[in-house]
Amino acid sequence: MIRVAPSILAADFTALGAEARAVEAGGADWLHLDVMDGQFVPNLTFGPPIIASLRRATSLPFDVHLMVERPEALIPATVEAGAQWITVHVETCPHLNRTLNWLRSLGVHPGVSLNPGTPLSAIEEVIPYIDQVLVMTVNPGFGGQRLIPNAVEKVRRCREMLTTAGSQAELSVDGGVTVDTIGSLVGAGATVVVAGSSIFGHSSGPAAGISELRAAAGQLR
Ligand code: DX5
Ligand code: ZN
């Protein structure tokens, strides 16, 4: 069974608590929280105080995606705010092994993400230390973009890499996940799908967005 992780980036920011409760009631597995710093990516979102407020609105596991330079500076406050999964970008971590081990020592699931232009070989040495690989299937920074054409092929190679290494890590895809793309991404080996606009932007509401994605992936429950 895949996990569906709605990305709060596409929600109504004036009603975050209600939006989180709506996806929880609609069958979401995780809540994906995109922290952006206006440096690593050309957009700004929110940080630990808003994550801490959301923590009081829902019991969904929090999957925090740190799209920031020097993510280490934000890690303690993000753990304190109630994250269960924290993902850093390989492009931002010169001491990736140390950062991932530190995350685990803090009691969260360590994850690593790669931009579309970053080769999978960049994470090869850290596979034994992670619980999640987050393959960016668009260039990070904004919701509502189209899937990058070679993304499916990259997911397939990532799946092979994890299998060869004997890793049980989740393989997440983030960006451009729609009813048209989810089937090939899951077929290529994704176990977690992050989706913003196709869930929060669905004309019949987020619950319909979640069930249509599951149906398109052949995973109705
Ligand atoms: C993009 C973020 C994504 C984003 C996906 O930088 O990491 O999580 O919310 O949005 P959609 O699903 O609209 O492509
Ligand atoms: Zn994300």
Side-chain angles (χ1 to χ4, degrees):
M1 264 309 189
I2 57 160
R3 297 179 207 264
V4 176
S7 170
I8 202 86
L9 181 64
D12 175 357
F13 275 26
T14 66
L16 287 176
E19 295 274 61
R21 285 190 288 270
V23 291
E24 182 167 22
D29 297 291
W30 293 354
L31 191 64
H32 184 85
L33 298 148
D34 288 306
V35 177
M36 303 186 188
D37 66 351
Q39 301 291 322
F40 177 61
V41 290
N43 197 4
L44 268 175
T45 54
F46 51 78
I50 284 182
I51 298 173
S53 294
L54 270 168
R55 189 64 290 172
R56 296 188 283 275
T58 171
S59 56
L60 287 174
F62 280 1
D63 174 38
V64 179
H65 180 189
L66 292 177
M67 281 165 279
V68 302
E69 299 287 357
R70 298 193 308 110
E72 295 81 6
L74 275 180
I75 284 171
T78 304
V79 173
E80 184 68 19
Q84 280 71 44
W85 298 74
I86 296 182
T87 296
V88 295
H89 267 262
V90 58
E91 301 86 0
T92 64
C93 291
H95 302 289
L96 185 59
N97 180 287
R98 179 191 292 158
T99 302
L100 294 167
N101 289 334
W102 184 39
L103 284 170
R104 194 176 298 284
S105 76
L106 294 173
V108 294
H109 294 285
V112 65
S113 183
L114 311 91
N115 283 339
T118 302
L120 288 167
S121 57
I123 63 163
E124 203 176 338
E125 302 299 329
V126 298
I127 288 176
Y129 307 96
I130 55 177
D131 290 341
Q132 177 177 191
V133 182
L134 180 69
V135 175
M136 285 309 305
T137 43
V138 298
N139 283 300
F142 302 96
Q145 303 180 78
R146 289 175 71 90
L147 192 83
I148 285 184
N150 78 341
V152 173
E153 177 51 28
K154 190 176 189 181
V155 171
R156 197 181 313 282
R157 281 184 284 116
C158 187
R159 168 52 60 207
E160 278 171 20
M161 204 169 156
L162 293 173
T163 303
T164 304
S167 171
Q168 301 293 312
E170 301 286 351
L171 201 180
S172 306
V173 288
D174 186 5
V177 176
T178 66
V179 290
D180 297 322
T181 60
I182 191 170
S184 51
L185 291 165
V186 170
T191 56
V192 178
V193 293
V194 176
S197 24
S198 55
I199 293 177
F200 288 104
H202 194 285
S203 55
S204 303
I210 293 170
S211 33
E212 284 182 18
L213 284 175
R214 282 198 206 281
Q219 306 234 345
L220 267 186
R221 62 177 190 185

